[in-house]
């Protein structure tokens, strides 16, 4: 095997995303051949002994990518919070799977779990431009001027967010349901944007990541993605398409 950067090798081996692997190296948690690793170091996985927190990282595992419908009240990280379940608890597959991105505790919808660090980076880093689409129910029907301000990313004088695509759901007679599409998101961006306009989010569902849609999956359902679906997430962002009904 040709030498490659340590953080890339760790990500490809399913340890974590590239950025998290870099943080592990910087924190002194990674050793190569018995010596503390350094950022930018190159390794040969067939020759070098590489350990994280004292445990040897073996050769690249089978790559697994799972689509999950996260229900409300489930934690998006791998760390348990009291008695709350995590997304990992919902996917009874062996091996180390971690979420590529997050959803708030009170939000629901499509999440990706994987052991492929390169794919996790592609799905979470803004430079890859993967759109994320949400169905959002508000506590009242927003005025058109409010939606214009939201689209521009200027909710009020004291807050500014990246621009977003906003449209009303045509079939909604209450006019409280909207679709929000983001390319670059900040933590709780949708909820905070709504709040700054005097609106409150009643329900928030992520229905699409790139070209992969939630389809007819129900809360708690999961399925392993096909090779073609994974390739679609890796490459140029395709047009949205519906996923099969659901898995379990």
């Amino acid at each position: 095997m040709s030498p490659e950067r340590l953080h890339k090798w760790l990500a490809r081996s399913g340890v974590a995303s590239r950025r998290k692997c870099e943080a592990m190296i910087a924190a002194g948690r990674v050793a190569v051949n018995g010596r503390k690793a350094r950022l930018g170091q190159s390794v040969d996985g067939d020759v070098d002994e590489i350990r994280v927190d004292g445990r040897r990282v073996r050769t690249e595992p089978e790559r697994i990518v799972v689509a999950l419908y996260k229900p409300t009240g489930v934690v998006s990280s791998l760390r348990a919070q009291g008695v709350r379940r995590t997304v990992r608890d919902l996917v009874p597959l062996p091996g180390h799977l971690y979420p590529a991105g997050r959803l708030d505790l009170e939000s629901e919808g499509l999440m990706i779990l994987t052991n492929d660090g390169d794919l996790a980076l592609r799905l979470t880093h803004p430079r890859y431009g993967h759109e994320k689409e949400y169905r959002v129910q508000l506590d009242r029907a927003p005025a058109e001027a409010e939606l214009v301000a939201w689209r521009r990313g200027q909710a009020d004088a004291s807050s500014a967010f990246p621009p977003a695509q906003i449209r009303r759901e045509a079939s909604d007679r209450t006019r409280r349901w909207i679709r929000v599409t983001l390319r670059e998101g900040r933590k709780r961006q949708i909820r905070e944007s709504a709040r700054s306009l005097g609106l409150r989010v009643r329900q928030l569902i992520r229905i699409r990541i790139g070209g992969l849609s939630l389809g007819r999956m129900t809360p708690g359902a999961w399925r392993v993605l096909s090779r073609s679906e994974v390739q679609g997430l890796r490459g140029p962002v395709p047009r949205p398409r519906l996923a099969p009904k659901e898995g379990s």
Side-chain angles (χ1 to χ4, degrees):
M1 179 182 294
S2 301
E4 63 179 317
R5 293 293 180 89
L6 175 57
H7 71 284
K8 291 183 179 180
W9 186 90
L10 289 170
R12 191 166 53 80
S13 297
V15 173
S17 68
R18 288 189 191 180
R19 284 184 288 179
K20 288 186 177 180
C21 288
E22 286 182 318
M24 290 177 178
I25 296 169
R29 296 172 57 188
V30 182
V32 178
N33 299 325
R35 296 184 177 182
K36 185 183 295 186
R38 65 182 186 278
L39 287 171
Q41 181 175 353
S42 293
V43 295
D44 185 336
D46 290 338
V47 177
D48 296 317
E49 180 185 87
I50 302 165
R51 293 179 178 269
V52 176
D53 296 332
R55 294 186 177 183
R56 186 168 183 178
V57 181
R58 301 294 179 180
T59 54
E60 178 182 357
E62 178 187 2
R63 297 182 183 181
I64 300 174
V65 185
V66 171
L68 167 71
Y69 188 140
K70 185 192 92 68
T72 58
V74 173
V75 182
S76 291
S77 69
L78 300 183
R79 292 184 178 181
Q81 297 182 13
V83 297
R84 295 189 186 278
R85 293 180 299 169
T86 71
V87 289
R88 188 65 180 91
D89 295 328
L90 301 181
V91 183
L93 292 177
H96 181 58
L97 297 176
Y98 50 88
R102 296 190 176 189
L103 279 173
D104 296 335
L105 184 68
E106 60 269 38
S107 300
E108 60 186 287
L110 183 61
M111 287 191 65
I112 302 294
L113 275 69
T114 184
N115 60 356
D116 187 332
D118 286 332
L119 178 61
L121 177 67
R122 285 181 173 272
L123 294 176
T124 55
H125 199 289
R127 74 169 176 262
Y128 292 101
H130 279 283
E131 291 184 344
K132 296 177 177 65
E133 185 177 358
Y134 304 81
R135 290 189 70 220
V136 181
Q137 185 189 44
L138 303 169
D139 62 336
R140 63 173 174 83
E144 191 58 38
E146 292 171 324
L147 295 183
V148 169
W150 196 337
R151 292 185 186 106
R152 292 175 178 173
Q154 297 177 335
D156 61 22
S158 62
S159 61
F161 299 93
Q165 298 177 33
I166 313 284
R167 62 184 175 89
R168 300 182 192 269
E169 288 199 349
S171 60
D172 174 38
R173 294 182 179 180
T174 70
R175 296 175 63 82
R176 293 189 300 165
W177 281 96
I178 60 173
R179 296 286 183 98
V180 180
T181 303
L182 304 175
R183 281 185 175 270
E184 177 184 352
R186 299 179 185 174
K187 185 176 180 180
R188 298 182 65 84
Q189 177 179 330
I190 293 176
R191 294 182 185 277
E192 292 302 317
S193 295
R195 181 193 58 78
S196 64
L197 289 165
L199 299 162
R200 182 180 176 185
V201 173
R202 295 285 190 188
Q203 190 173 7
L204 191 154
I205 310 168
R206 183 156 64 199
I207 60 173
R208 180 171 63 87
I209 299 175
L212 184 72
S213 294
L214 191 62
R216 297 181 179 179
M217 293 179 72
T218 55
W222 63 274
R223 67 183 185 84
V224 177
L225 297 186
S226 68
R227 183 176 299 179
S228 62
E229 288 172 322
V230 174
Q231 189 58 39
L233 291 174
R234 289 186 188 283
V237 180
R239 295 180 63 183
R241 62 180 180 182
L242 290 180
K245 187 171 182 180
E246 67 178 273
S248 58

